[in-house]
Each structure stands twice: as structure tokens, then as C-alpha cells.
Amino acid sequence: DYRGAEFSTWHRDLKGNNDLLVLTQPDIIKEIHYKYLEAGADVIETNTFNAQRVSQADYELNHLSRRINLAAAKLCCEARDAYKAATGKRCFVAGGLGPLNRTASISPSVERPDYRNITYDEIVEAYTEQTQALLEGGVDFLLIETIFDCLNAKAAAVYGVDFLLIETIFDCLNAKAALFAINSLFDDKGLTRVPIFVSGTITDLSGRTLSGQTVDAFYASMRHGNIFCIGLNCALGCGEMKPYVERLAQLSEGFVSCYPNAGLPNAMGGYDETPEMMATSLLEFAENGWINLVGGCCGTGPSHIAAIAKAMKGVKPRPKGTTHHVLTLSGLEALRFTDEVVFCNVGERCNISGSIQFKKLVKDGNFDQCLAIARKQVEDGDINMDDGLVDGVVAMTRFVNLIASDPDVARVPLMVDSSKFHVIEAGLKCTQGKAIVNSISLKVGEEEFIRQASLVRRYGAAVVVMAFDEDGQAADCESKIRICKRAYDILVEKVHFPPEDIIFDPNVLTICTGMEEHNNYGVDVLNAAQWIKDNLPYARVSGGLSNLSFSFRGLEEIRMAMHSAFLNEAISRRIFAMAIVNAGALPVYTDIKPELLTLVEDAIFNRHPGASEALVTYAEKVKAEKAAGGGSATGPVAAKVEDAWRQTPVEERLSYALVKGIVEFIEQDVEEARTCGRYPAPLKIIEGPLMSGMSTVGELFGAGKMFLPQVIKSARVMKKAVAVLIPYMEAEKAAARAANAGTVSVQQKVLLATVKGDVHDIGKNIVGVVLGCNNFEVIDMGVMCPCEKILAAAKEHAVDVIGLSGLITPSLDEMVHVAKTMRKEGFKVPLLIGGATTSKVHTAVKIQPQYPDTIHVLDASKAVVVVSSLLGSDREEFLKEVHESYAEIAEDYLANMKDRVYKSLSQARDKRLAVDFTAKPPVSKPHTIGTITIDDFPLDQLVARIDWNPFFSVWQIRGRYPNRDYPKLFNCPHVGEEARRLFDEAQKMLSDIVQTRLFKAKGTVTILPANSEGDDIRVYSDESRSQIAGTFYGLRQQAEKDSDEPYLCLSDFIAPKGVAPDYIASMVVGVFGAEELSARYEAENDGYRSIMAKALADRLAEAFAEELHRIIRTEYWGYVQKEHGETEDLLKMRYQGIRPAPGYPSQPDHTEMRTMWAIGDVEARCGVKLSEHNAMIPAASVSALVFTHAQSKYFAVGKIQKDQVTDYAKRKGITLEEAEHDLSSILAYDA
């Protein structure tokens, strides 16, 4: 009964208002509190989860907020006091402040993403009233809990408590408001400061809060708030929460809490984890040293608390974390300025002062286009709303709210820029991440400077400090140093501002003004930046570069060359951490004309008295050339030549754009074609000029006059063209159906899928694009597609061809399974097989006997010919030829198999590689024993390690002798020009990926004691070698050899136990972010860039593996004192040791990867997962075992006999059938 006597006639439904029960059912609430104390709880919480006025307004009881909270606090305190009287144990009461039913960072309206239904100040008011009542009721501390919006939580207030807990944060903006209010009371009202606890919520297995922040970004957003303890609770069970708690424990400079749900909700909404299960899981967290405070959330009752309390007895808590003096900013993701982050661009396009276009859009209220500019900046920020005709507060609030609605923009940190501090505050009140304020300075006087700095810190932002004081702007080096030193001392000593959050702008001033005293401004700012770096610990330097070149406004080539040269110096000296610059317009330093580069560097560095005048003279020359219509090849004459095709008829323009891959004008040209009157229906435009253009592309591709990257670009143009016409075609179809006008003809359909368990799809995507270019409708099922899903889709879409793709060996078995099922279900459509692990031989021997109309397709260049033949008038003749050809292949293979001679397993073991570990002992003991986690390896260190040959293979760019391989490939007269073009575009995308950190390289290395035992390798938990952490099972060569060569197994390279102590390492690396980037390009109909992104991710993953192997050799294990580390040497394996991987020739069993993952806790540590068929996720991942003995070498096991498979199954504890399934690709017999 929620109503009780008092509210029996209340005009609103009160069911579900649990907070009201403290007034209507007080005895029941008090009894619940007491039961938790009896179970072993040290803290009980008031029943005030939704007791503030905002949530109570749903029941029109907002006027009772104070009364409810006061009553709840008294009930809880009575239970606490009664328990102490009975047992003598002191327990505590937490005043619970739960979430509002409104959020400050998410719009309730899809149509108005910038709208908010509650203000920051209203949040503060609601929490303040609730807090006062709870404290008056006698609570010991405050628990701000289950906040789904961190901005709301930041608005909570507190008076005189033992400590505070902000809990279950889904959105950091609301939580930051709570922290702001709390710290305002401590700092401004003189209340005694008490510890603050914060707890966030990872809402699902994406690893993000409800508002989209990662754990790292969440911590960065909360770090400023004088937090004693930070943790996670709710939404997930222990198992799902594990990696996020571990990560938070790595980040936290204070203490860590964790109280998960009793597992995930079941189908009925209940929770299934028993008290014992939950206690066991949390005990692991505690024993790993991750947590200090533990408990339970949803689904946990007194019995859970009792089990947890019992399990935790005697466990040593996590030591308090150490302070990290690293500038860390965040949007939805974190940006840490570690030593590896040399420099960061700050976009300047969202600045009224710096962009005429942006200024006009803001004045016109066109904020959607403003957001597009912001999105472009992120793809290729600084936000400034200072203008006399713009309401800065309104514009700043609206735009920052709008940014929060776009994840692509919101993922990066913001720089909130204004000369008006109240406008800066408006921006910070809408920012859930950790932003940068640009800027404050001493020109307002020390008192106001301290006030502004204190508020910036309270809002949780870093700050840019300009080199101004009461006397004005610092111009020379000495003045810059004096002002920055004074500001630093005030901030650190009086404001207690974290020094790592201080960024100085020592004033980049204009040179080449004609005034001699200005000539040294470039040198002065660089020297001042150097002094700041050397003398003001942890502080950073930034600056706006446009001032430097202001004398040359209108001459962009000179201005951008000056900016590039200045940054080249500043970055190489590592004295500027960031700069406000139009990065998209900057030329590459080495691409600047030598004459111009010499002139600008002479001027910037004031190398001689005439340097400034020389640059001015050059500028006058350029200006005169422009006025005369001359200039460089990028001038008007060149533009006229390049734009001549724009004057041709629309049909020719469409064809030209398709052949050349030009996307800029396609939408307007298609619209012109649609409305020109020559085409009665949109489909006629596709069938006419568009397909004519694509036919030309197909002919050029077939003749070898176009290459795959060009074809992919053409496909991008085609997709965008068709996207314009689709709405009109859909409308026509609807009208036709309504009028019973018959059916519309459709293209022939090809279904493509990467099979179950496999995540690799670059090749499949290329085939899809090429087929699409040739007027086939492609239905792409994506990756990891089970058989039933593939075949159901094939029936649903009535496809004409099914294509299966796979890269890993288990995919071959899955393809056989699909073929068998197709035959069983009576399919008649052809089946295509493709992918790196497939072959014509395997298709002929294993798959085609299961489904006769099966054809292996070597690569994309063959796909069109095969599909066209299968669906053309000569289909039967084509299939007859395929059947005969495959029958011959299978016959030859089986005949060869019969001729092969194999050693028995015992004979092969007798002729194993007998290493004399006494004469040639294992390498030295590793420097590091255990598992090392690499969370974010610098991508720029991997670029030089990339092996580009596989990249060109992906794109089917094949050079001819003697110019077959990279970089000689560029000299090939056949493909060299296209290879260079492809390489340059890859370099541009790679540069963007590295600079904007679109990808993240993560990995693990595990080094443990090991010894061999027969064909297996036992891996031990520690140096005692008493406990086996796992076993790697080996396979030995059996195919007879002509010479006396040994029959190898990987265990041969590890010393047997009792002979010598040995070790083994395993490594797993993954490059994250490619799938998201690729999906974004796919959404933009840009298949070319989608494939490029994945291809580059693969190259970075392989480069990461190569580099990590080098680090293992030289640092983690350290058995090599020094290596030259040249990329060519690494790629040619000119080093001691090998790194074979399960699933590859030395150990073809993919299931051995499971052991690697278990021993190294791989998924939890670095996020690389295994599919059910042991494919690594993300696809751009590499794994390997690391062997170090001088005699270790790569080899292929080859085919093996049944005696070894039987022995292998017995050793692994699996059935013979399971072993034959896992090893099917290397069986020398029919299983």
C-alpha cells in the first residue's frame, strides 16, 4: 500500500513511488535497514533514491521533498542506533541522492537535439534541498547514486558529513554539477571538507556509460573533484564489469569501489547470481588488488551482503593510487598527453573570430551547419562565440548542447574559447568531458584571476593562461617568462590547480610588420616555450599560429608555409603540446618550395637583418602574379583546364565523374539529369548514363587500364549517385503497387558472407564493390554469419548466387557445412568460395563433392567473369567445364596423397630435433615474469614498421619483374603510377589516423617459466614450476623426408624439465577503431575508404606485432642486448627467435589460441576476443608464441597420420572426432 491513510484520496497514481513509503510504511522500511546490518553491512542507505523535488513532481508531491528526506534519514539512523545498542558495532548511514528523471546532457526531443528540459542551476537547487534535509535527519555521509547524467550529479550539495558518494553515474555532465556544488560549499561557505565518493555505471558490454563515455574519459571528467574514492556499480554483473574495474584501478590516484548487480537480468527481469557466486567473483577483484570498497547493487539481498562480507575477511585492500601528472582531456573518449603524444592540433573553424563562414551561420541561427563544420574538423575543437551581434551565452549553450548529440564530434575534447568569462561558464555547464578553457590571464588583476581559475578548476577543465598581466601583453622573451612564472606560482600555490592542467600561451605575435622590434617575435616565443618546459613542472604550451603570419593575409601559401615551418621547429623540440591551427590547410614541411621555406625560416628565426624584408619582397611578387592571372599550377589557368569537363553535357559529366572517381559534383549532376526532361524515370538514369559510365569502368578494368583502387573510387561515386535517386524510385514503386501496375524488373542478386566464426572481410568487400560496379545487386551479410542465417537470407532475397568468404582455417570446415546444408535443402544456385585460406584444390576435394555447382574464385578480378558466366546463357557449358576441371584436380590430389610416405609418430619422435641444451642452453632469464598490458601503443612508432607488400596485394596491384615488390613497385611501367597514387592516399589516411588517434593499438605480453614434455610445452605459474598454468600441445612432422633432416615440433625448441630452466612468451595485439571508421565510410557510400581503413588497420597490427616482438627481445625478456631495429631486418627476420601462431603451419590447430588467452587473461586486459571458431576480434589482430632458442626456426607440420591425431586427442582430453575436426585441413587420410 503506497498511499497509506494520508494519501488515500490523492489524485495521482502513487504506485512505484518507493520514496513515499518512509511516510506511509515506515516500519517496513526500518526493518529492511536492520536486516542488512544483521547480514554484515557497514553502511546502510536512506530510502531517498528519487526523493528530490524534480522526480517527485511526477506524482505532484514535489512540495514534500524536504519532509520525505528528513523522515527517511531518521528511520535509517534509528535502525543504525538500535543495531549498535544490540551488538556494539558502529555502522554508518548514507544519505542517498539518486538520479533525476531529467538529464542535462541529452535532449528529450529527437527533433531538437540542442534542447534541454532542465537547467544546471535547477539541478543544483534540487540537490541542495534534499541534502539539507538528509543532514538534518542525522545521516553520516551522502551517497549520490545511480546518476544517469553526470552533470546532474555534479549539482548535489553537502553539509557536515563523514564522506560523500556519487554513485551509478551514467552521464558525467550531471555528476560534474554535483561535484561543483559540493566543492562550492566547501570552498565558499567554509564547511569542513570531507571525503567524496563517486561511482559510475557502465551500461552495457560496449564499455561506456549511458552518455557514451569510456572508463578513461569518465575518470578524466571526474578527476578534478577532490575525489577520495571512485568506482563502478549497477547495470552489469561481476563478470561483465571485470575489465572496467581493472582499468579504473589502473587509473585511480585514490581508492576504488565496486558493487555490481547479481549478474545480468534474466528473461523475466530477475537476477540469477547466487550469494556464493557473487562473493567468489568479488574476491578475485580484491585479491587482484583492484578494490577498496565492495558491495552489491541490483538483485542483491542480505544473503549476498553476508557472503561478500565473509569472503572479504583478511583480504588486503588495494593501496592508494599515486598521482599522475599527465594532462588528460576527454569528450566521450580520453586524450592523454603522455610522452608519446608529441603534438595535438586544436581546430579553429568553430570560432566566430577565426571563420567568416562560421560567424555567418551563428548569426543566422543555422546551427546544423555549424555542427557540420565541427564534424569536418574532427574528421580532418576550439569553440568561440565572441561577436557584438551574437548573444554569446545563448549561442555557446545551444552549440555545445548540439555537439553532445553527435558522437563523432563529442568523442573529442572541447576547447571553450571566449574573452568573456561568463560565456566560458555557459560552455562548461554543458560539457560532460574535460575541456580546455581558452583563456584567462593576469590582465584582470590577481584577485579576479584567482576567482576565474578557481571556477575553472571546479568545473573540471584545464586552462590556457595568456602571457598578459596588469601592464599588458608580454612581447619579448623576458616578459613572457616573468608573467608565466608568476601565473604558475599563483595557480599551484594559491588555487591548488593541478600543474599538469596548466597550458601557457606565451603569445605568438606577428612578424614581418616592417618594424624592426617585431623581427625577433618568433624566436622570443620559441625560447619562452622552451623555458616553460624546462622550469615549470608539468605545464604545457599552446598558441594560436594565425598571428605569426598576419602580415601576409590573403596569401595563404605563404601563411601556411610559415605555420608549417614554425610547427616543425616547435614539435621537433617538443616545446608546444598543441596549437590552434587550420591543420587541413597545412602543407607537409618537406613539400614546401625550397625557396619559400628558406625565406620563411629566415624570417621566423630572424637569421639575418634582411630576412623579414626578403619575405615581404617575395610576397609582393606573388601578389603581383596573382593580380596578373599567373602564378602556380593551382591558379586560375589550371583551374580552367581542370574544370573544362564541367561544361560538357550532364551525361558526359556523369561518365567522367565515374571513370575519374570524382564525387564532389555527383549529387547536383544526378539531380540535373533527373529534372532535365530526357529521362522519364530515375531508373532510366541508372540504366542509361550511370551504367554507361560503369561499363566504361568495367571495360578499362578488364583490359588492365584501370586498377582496383580506381574501381573502388568509381563505385563510391556510383553509390552516391544511386542514393540520390533511391527516394524517387521508391516513390514510383509505391505508386505502381497502388495502381497494380505490375512489377519492376530487378538486378541479378549475389549474396556475400564471411562464414561463422570468421571476422575478416576486406576481400569480400572488394568483390562486392566490383560486382556492384557491373550492375549486380549485392546483398552483403557481413561477418560471422551462421549457415542458417546465410541460407535464410538467400531464400528471402531470392538470390542468384551465394558467395562465402573466410581467412582462418576453421572457415574451410564451415564452408563444407554450408555446402552440405545447401544440398540437403535443395538449393540450385551456384556457390562461390573465396578468401585467403581457400584454394581451388580444397574446393575441388572437400566442398564441390558436397555441392556440385561450387566454384573457387581467386580474387575480385575474376569474380565478374565467373558470376556473369554462371548467370548467362552459357551457364550449363561453363558448369560442365568446372565439374570436369575440378574432378581432375581432386583425382590428382588424391593420387598424390596415396603416393606420399609417412613416418609413424614414434619414428618421427625418434628423429626429432635433439637440441643439446647443455652445450647450447636457453637464453638468459627474462627481465619480466608475468603479463604486461599495453593499453595504447603510439601509432606513430608503428608507421615505419609497416610492410607495404601485403597492402598492395589486398588491392591486387602486382608489379612485374624486376619491379615486383615495394618500393620498386613504383617503377613498374604497368602499375607503378597507380601504385604510387594508392600509396599516397594510404599515407594521407594513415597520417589522419595517427594524428587524430582514430585507431588504438592494444596488446598483452605474457612471459612465464616453461619446459617441454614430449611434444607438449608445460607453462608454469611461477618460478617454483609446481603449478601448471596451461599446456601448449604440439604437432610433429610426419611426411617422409629425402635427407636426414629432423622431424620438427615446436616443443623441440624448449628445454625439458630437469635439463634446464626455460621460458616461453606469448603476445596478442589488436588495432581497434577500424570497424567503426569503416562503418562510417560505408554509411557515406564510400566503399573505397572503408576498405582502405581496414587494410591500414591490418598493416598496423602486423607492424605492432613486429615491434612488440623486438621489445620482447630487447626489453621485456632482454636476451638481446642491442638490435639495429631496421624495418627491413625485422621483416626478413634477421634476429634470434621466432613467433609462430596457432592456426599457422607450425601448429595448425586454432584451438590452441584458447590457452594463450587463458594464460594471459587477454580479453580482459586488451580487449582482443576470440570468436567461437577462434578468429580474433577485431580482425586487425595478431597473436603469437615467442621462442628464443638460437636453433628455433619456422617450419610447416604438413599432413599428419591418424596415429598422431589419436595421440593428440588423448593428450588434450578430447575425442578423436573433435581432434579430426580441429585438424581437418592437415589430415593425410579421409576422416
Side-chain angles (χ1 to χ4, degrees):
D1 180 10
Y2 285 87
R3 293 179 174 272
E6 181 178 354
F7 302 98
S8 59
T9 60
W10 193 252
H11 61 282
R12 295 295 299 270
D13 184 7
L14 299 179
K15 186 175 182 180
N17 189 351
N18 298 318
D19 308 84
L20 187 61
L21 294 173
V22 299
L23 301 181
T24 60
Q25 302 291 344
D27 292 339
I28 294 175
I29 299 300
K30 183 177 177 180
E31 182 183 359
I32 292 172
H33 289 320
Y34 199 85
K35 285 183 177 179
Y36 276 102
L37 291 169
E38 287 182 318
D42 299 299
V43 178
I44 53 174
E45 179 189 348
T46 57
N47 183 43
T48 50
F49 190 74
N50 287 309
Q52 28 64 31
R53 60 170 51 245
V54 177
S55 296
Q56 286 298 313
D58 286 350
Y59 306 98
E60 296 185 21
L61 294 175
N62 42 307
H63 62 289
L64 293 179
S65 175
R66 173 178 169 78
R67 181 183 163 196
I68 292 172
N69 283 281
L70 191 61
K74 290 181 177 178
L75 281 174
C76 214
C77 290
E78 288 171 7
R80 172 201 64 192
D81 296 342
Y83 185 72
K84 183 178 182 182
T87 65
K89 180 182 176 182
R90 184 187 178 191
C91 296
F92 300 90
V93 169
L97 291 84
L100 307 186
N101 53 5
R102 300 184 180 191
T103 168
S105 64
I106 302 174
S107 173
S109 169
V110 175
E111 293 77 17
R112 296 176 58 195
D114 59 317
Y115 170 68
R116 300 294 183 269
N117 60 5
I118 193 167
T119 68
Y120 188 93
D121 296 331
E122 287 170 339
I123 299 168
V124 173
E125 181 182 357
Y127 279 132
T128 299
E129 179 187 39
Q130 184 180 21
T131 300
Q132 288 174 317
L134 289 170
L135 291 165
E136 285 183 33
V139 302
D140 297 301
F141 61 88
L142 294 184
L143 172 68
I144 306 177
E145 63 168 347
T146 320
I147 302 298
F148 62 84
D149 186 325
C150 291
L151 180 55
N152 289 7
K154 288 161 80 174
V158 63
Y159 298 84
V161 299
D162 289 330
F163 64 88
L164 309 175
L165 180 54
I166 306 174
E167 180 188 18
T168 319
I169 296 164
F170 296 160
D171 185 325
C172 276
L173 192 51
N174 288 22
K176 286 169 72 178
L179 290 173
F180 183 93
I182 291 166
N183 285 296
S184 295
L185 288 168
F186 291 149
D187 296 337
D188 299 344
K189 304 299 182 182
L191 297 179
T192 302
R193 182 171 289 278
V194 298
I196 301 171
F197 284 50
V198 169
S199 188
T201 296
I202 302 300
T203 54
D204 56 38
L205 297 182
S206 69
R208 294 177 181 259
T209 64
L210 183 64
S211 61
Q213 282 195 309
T214 64
V215 172
D216 289 59
F218 161 67
Y219 181 77
S221 300
M222 296 287 99
R223 177 179 181 259
H224 70 282
N226 300 302
I227 294 168
F228 182 75
C229 180
I230 191 166
L232 297 174
N233 74 298
C234 202
L236 302 177
C238 300
E240 297 79 19
M241 194 179 286
K242 180 179 178 180
Y244 312 121
V245 174
E246 181 183 13
R247 179 57 183 156
L248 197 57
Q250 294 168 353
L251 293 170
S252 176
E253 295 150 284
F255 299 103
V256 176
S257 65
C258 170
Y259 38 113
N261 293 347
L264 297 175
N266 58 32
M268 303 303 294
Y271 295 87
D272 299 327
E273 281 197 10
T274 64
E276 292 73 22
M277 292 165 62
M278 194 169 179
T280 300
S281 297
L282 288 174
L283 178 60
E284 179 187 355
F285 290 13
E287 290 179 337
N288 286 341
W290 295 343
I291 53 177
N292 303 95
L293 174 69
V294 67
C297 200
C298 302
T300 60
S303 58
H304 289 83
I305 298 302
I308 294 169
K310 181 180 178 182
M312 295 300 146
K313 285 184 179 179
V315 179
K316 186 178 180 181
R318 170 186 177 274
K320 183 180 179 182
T322 55
T323 301
H324 309 305
H325 290 295
V326 177
L327 171 60
T328 304
L329 308 172
S330 67
L332 298 182
E333 299 171 6
L335 174 61
R336 290 169 56 84
F337 282 76
T338 59
D339 291 340
E340 290 77 23
V341 180
V342 178
F343 180 78
C344 179
N345 285 319
V346 181
E348 63 172 358
R349 297 296 88 195
C350 296
N351 187 324
I352 281 181
S353 302
S355 170
I356 295 174
Q357 180 190 10
F358 189 75
K359 177 178 179 178
K360 183 179 186 302
L361 292 171
V362 172
K363 283 186 174 181
D364 293 345
N366 192 345
F367 283 89
D368 286 339
Q369 284 302 308
C370 290
L371 184 61
I373 289 176
R375 191 182 300 112
K376 178 64 176 173
Q377 274 197 120
V378 172
E379 292 172 355
D380 280 333
D382 173 52
I383 304 171
N384 178 293
M385 295 293 179
D386 285 357
D387 186 84
L389 299 179
V390 172
D391 185 329
V393 171
V394 172
M396 180 69 78
T397 300
R398 184 176 178 187
F399 186 54
V400 177
N401 280 343
L402 198 60
I403 280 175
S405 70
D406 190 320
D408 286 339
V409 182
R411 68 182 179 83
V412 301
L414 300 180
M415 176 179 278
V416 181
D417 185 353
S418 179
S419 59
K420 302 169 185 176
F421 192 73
H422 66 285
V423 176
I424 286 176
E425 285 195 271
L428 292 176
K429 288 180 179 181
C430 305
T431 306
Q432 79 158 323
K434 181 175 179 179
I436 304 176
V437 164
N438 190 19
S439 59
I440 63 174
S441 75
L442 283 163
K443 70 180 179 182
V444 296
E446 188 169 314
E447 183 179 351
E448 177 63 10
F449 176 75
I450 290 174
R451 185 190 77 85
Q452 291 180 2
S454 299
L455 283 171
V456 171
R457 186 181 190 282
R458 200 174 295 166
Y459 280 114
V463 68
V464 173
V465 181
M466 298 292 295
F468 283 76
D469 65 3
E470 297 88 342
D471 297 325
Q473 177 176 255
D476 58 47
C477 182
E478 182 181 350
S479 299
K480 296 176 193 291
I481 290 172
R482 174 177 51 79
I483 293 174
C484 291
K485 175 68 165 67
R486 179 187 169 201
Y488 181 88
D489 291 342
I490 292 170
L491 289 170
V492 174
E493 295 171 10
K494 295 185 178 181
V495 183
H496 305 294
F497 211 98
E500 62 271 16
D501 288 347
I502 302 171
I503 304 161
F504 285 106
D505 184 338
N507 303 335
V508 180
L509 301 177
T510 306
I511 61 173
C512 301
T513 63
M515 301 176 68
E516 186 177 348
E517 59 267 32
H518 296 174
N519 290 348
N520 211 49
Y521 278 172
V523 176
D524 283 334
V525 74
L526 289 167
N527 288 343
Q530 185 71 59
W531 187 92
I532 291 167
K533 178 187 176 186
D534 295 341
N535 294 277
L536 302 181
Y538 310 115
R540 305 275 179 164
V541 175
S542 178
L545 295 196
S546 59
N547 286 344
L548 180 75
S549 62
F550 194 67
S551 294
F552 303 102
R553 54 192 180 277
L555 299 173
E556 289 303 300
E557 181 184 15
I558 296 176
R559 297 195 71 180
M560 293 303 107
M562 292 177 71
H563 299 168
S564 182
F566 182 91
L567 282 180
N568 182 68
E569 176 71 12
I571 294 171
S572 65
R573 291 165 60 181
R574 302 188 74 138
I575 53 177
F576 267 61
M578 61 190 76
I580 302 173
V581 61
N582 185 1
L586 279 182
V588 177
Y589 177 78
T590 54
D591 290 345
I592 300 172
K593 297 174 183 175
E595 179 189 5
L596 177 57
L597 181 60
T598 298
L599 289 169
V600 299
E601 290 191 334
D602 284 351
I604 292 170
F605 306 132
N606 197 17
R607 286 172 173 163
H608 57 83
S612 292
E613 185 177 343
L615 184 56
V616 170
T617 301
Y618 180 88
E620 291 298 331
K621 177 184 175 184
V622 171
K623 191 181 297 183
E625 288 177 352
K626 287 182 66 178
S632 67
T634 58
V637 175
K640 287 180 182 177
V641 173
E642 289 203 6
D643 290 346
W645 72 278
R646 298 297 306 149
Q647 311 307 316
T648 61
V650 66
E651 290 82 1
E652 293 182 27
R653 275 181 270 143
L654 290 171
S655 179
Y656 185 91
L658 286 163
V659 173
K660 297 296 183 181
I662 300 171
V663 77
E664 285 79 3
F665 310 100
I666 194 65
E667 292 182 2
Q668 68 188 62
D669 286 350
V670 169
E671 185 61 19
E672 180 181 336
R674 190 184 70 82
T675 57
C676 70
R678 293 194 293 275
Y679 300 98
L683 183 61
K684 297 299 181 182
I685 299 172
I686 296 175
E687 293 176 343
L690 290 178
M691 283 312 304
S692 175
M694 289 311 297
S695 294
T696 302
V697 171
E699 290 168 6
L700 292 172
F701 181 53
K705 296 178 181 179
M706 280 185 76
F707 303 103
L708 189 60
Q710 295 170 309
V711 174
I712 301 297
K713 286 183 179 179
S714 298
R716 170 175 57 179
V717 178
M718 184 69 172
K719 278 189 176 183
K720 288 187 178 292
V722 173
V724 175
L725 297 172
I726 282 176
Y728 302 103
M729 291 191 292
E730 292 297 329
E732 284 189 351
K733 288 179 183 178
R737 285 193 294 268
N740 293 319
T743 59
V744 182
S745 61
V746 295
Q747 298 166 285
Q748 292 172 310
K749 299 177 182 179
V750 180
L751 182 148
L752 300 178
T754 299
V755 295
K756 178 181 176 182
D758 203 327
V759 298
H760 300 85
D761 65 351
I762 294 179
K764 170 181 67 66
N765 292 348
I766 291 174
V767 170
V769 170
V770 173
L771 289 172
C773 292
N774 287 269
N775 202 29
F776 294 102
E777 180 182 347
V778 176
I779 298 155
D780 190 339
M781 300 294 294
V783 300
M784 298 182 68
C785 296
C787 175
E788 58 272 17
K789 182 179 177 181
I790 294 170
L791 300 188
K795 293 174 182 176
E796 177 188 351
H797 296 283
V799 301
D800 299 288
V801 177
I802 296 174
L804 304 181
S805 177
L807 183 138
I808 62 175
T809 306
S811 297
L812 299 175
D813 294 331
E814 185 64 23
M815 292 174 179
V816 173
H817 171 63
V818 174
K820 287 180 178 178
T821 308
M822 288 178 67
R823 182 181 62 184
K824 182 178 179 181
E825 295 188 9
F827 273 80
K828 302 297 182 184
V829 299
L831 175 64
L832 306 185
I833 301 296
T837 194
T838 66
S839 68
K840 184 178 284 189
V841 172
H842 181 271
T843 303
V845 174
K846 296 288 187 178
I847 305 178
Q848 205 246 10
Q850 308 300 330
Y851 190 78
D853 292 350
T854 302
I855 303 95
H856 180 259
V857 180
L858 180 64
D859 56 37
S861 65
K862 305 295 189 297
V864 174
V865 174
V866 171
V867 174
S868 299
S869 299
L870 287 170
L871 301 181
S873 57
D874 295 329
R875 166 185 169 138
E876 294 305 320
E877 194 65 31
F878 177 76
L879 282 174
K880 181 180 179 182
E881 183 178 338
V882 168
H883 293 161
E884 292 175 355
S885 171
Y886 280 27
E888 290 177 5
I889 292 170
E891 185 178 346
D892 289 345
Y893 173 82
L894 295 173
N896 288 335
M897 288 290 292
K898 292 176 182 177
D899 293 338
R900 293 294 300 271
V901 177
Y902 294 89
K903 295 288 187 183
S904 68
L905 180 58
S906 60
Q907 290 173 323
R909 284 172 174 170
D910 288 341
K911 297 197 67 174
R912 70 185 183 280
L913 176 66
V915 177
D916 186 348
F917 287 101
T918 302
K920 298 179 180 179
V923 299
S924 58
K925 179 181 176 181
H927 294 165
T928 304
I929 303 292
T931 298
I932 303 147
T933 303
I934 300 96
D935 185 61
D936 191 2
F937 195 89
L939 295 178
D940 55 353
Q941 294 184 25
L942 301 180
V943 173
R945 297 292 190 212
I946 290 178
D947 179 2
W948 287 102
N949 284 310
F951 172 81
F952 289 109
S953 294
V954 166
W955 293 98
Q956 298 172 26
I957 299 291
R958 301 180 179 96
R960 297 177 180 177
Y961 180 83
N963 300 307
R964 184 171 297 149
D965 295 330
Y966 168 86
K968 290 183 178 181
L969 179 67
F970 300 142
N971 301 325
C972 178
H974 178 62
V975 299
E977 183 179 349
E978 180 55 31
R980 169 58 72 181
R981 187 180 297 111
L982 175 67
F983 183 72
D984 290 344
E985 291 179 353
Q987 291 295 310
K988 184 178 184 302
M989 180 180 285
L990 184 60
S991 177
D992 290 342
I993 288 168
V994 172
Q995 290 181 18
T996 58
R997 300 165 62 85
L998 286 171
F999 291 175
K1000 192 170 185 179
K1002 304 169 72 174
T1004 63
V1005 174
T1006 300
I1007 307 176
L1008 289 173
N1011 286 112
S1012 63
E1013 185 177 310
D1015 290 349
D1016 304 328
I1017 301 169
R1018 308 291 186 201
V1019 184
Y1020 303 103
S1021 300
D1022 52 44
E1023 290 283 19
S1024 70
R1025 302 179 188 254
S1026 59
Q1027 182 176 350
I1028 295 175
T1031 299
F1032 290 112
Y1033 295 94
L1035 293 165
R1036 189 170 295 281
Q1037 294 173 321
Q1038 283 188 274
E1040 189 171 69
K1041 302 183 179 186
D1042 295 332
S1043 62
D1044 291 332
E1045 291 182 47
Y1047 290 71
L1048 298 175
C1049 175
L1050 286 174
S1051 63
D1052 294 344
F1053 308 138
I1054 299 290
K1057 192 172 184 180
V1059 173
D1062 210 340
Y1063 301 84
I1064 194 169
S1066 64
M1067 54 182 276
V1068 178
V1069 301
V1071 173
F1072 294 77
E1075 297 298 330
E1076 293 79 3
L1077 182 59
S1078 177
R1080 193 175 82 200
Y1081 287 135
E1082 287 292 343
E1084 297 169 357
N1085 293 318
D1086 195 341
Y1088 175 77
R1089 294 193 182 191
S1090 172
I1091 294 168
M1092 179 74 79
K1094 290 185 178 182
L1096 289 176
D1098 281 351
R1099 291 299 88 222
L1100 285 169
E1102 291 288 353
F1104 188 12
E1106 203 64 76
E1107 175 64 7
L1108 191 55
H1109 190 197
R1110 185 192 67 79
I1111 294 172
I1112 292 172
R1113 296 192 301 274
T1114 58
E1115 296 178 28
Y1116 297 155
W1117 196 315
Y1119 66 89
V1120 175
Q1121 296 301 312
K1122 185 178 180 181
E1123 280 187 353
H1124 293 297
E1126 296 296 332
T1127 299
E1128 183 181 359
D1129 291 338
L1130 297 184
L1131 296 179
K1132 292 183 177 180
M1133 296 177 285
R1134 294 170 179 160
Y1135 49 73
Q1136 180 175 324
I1138 58 173
R1139 57 174 182 92
Y1144 286 81
S1146 298
Q1147 173 33 302
D1149 185 0
H1150 275 80
T1151 67
E1152 288 293 285
M1153 298 173 77
R1154 297 283 174 186
T1155 305
M1156 290 176 60
W1157 259 246
I1159 290 175
D1161 197 17
V1162 171
E1163 183 175 340
R1165 285 180 174 272
C1166 72
V1168 179
K1169 304 177 181 178
L1170 289 177
S1171 74
E1172 61 181 305
H1173 284 185
N1174 303 298
M1176 290 177 285
I1177 305 170
S1181 298
V1182 178
S1183 65
L1185 294 173
V1186 177
F1187 295 81
T1188 60
H1189 197 274
Q1191 289 183 251
S1192 60
K1193 63 179 182 178
Y1194 292 99
F1195 65 93
V1197 169
K1199 299 294 181 180
I1200 60 174
Q1201 289 283 32
K1202 191 168 187 176
D1203 62 341
Q1204 180 162 198
V1205 178
T1206 303
D1207 183 80
Y1208 186 73
K1210 183 178 179 181
R1211 285 163 23 223
K1212 290 193 71 167
I1214 60 177
T1215 66
L1216 176 62
E1217 290 73 19
E1218 289 172 321
E1220 289 176 334
H1221 176 270
D1222 296 339
L1223 302 174
S1224 60
S1225 64
I1226 62 167
L1227 299 182
Y1229 62 95
D1230 291 328

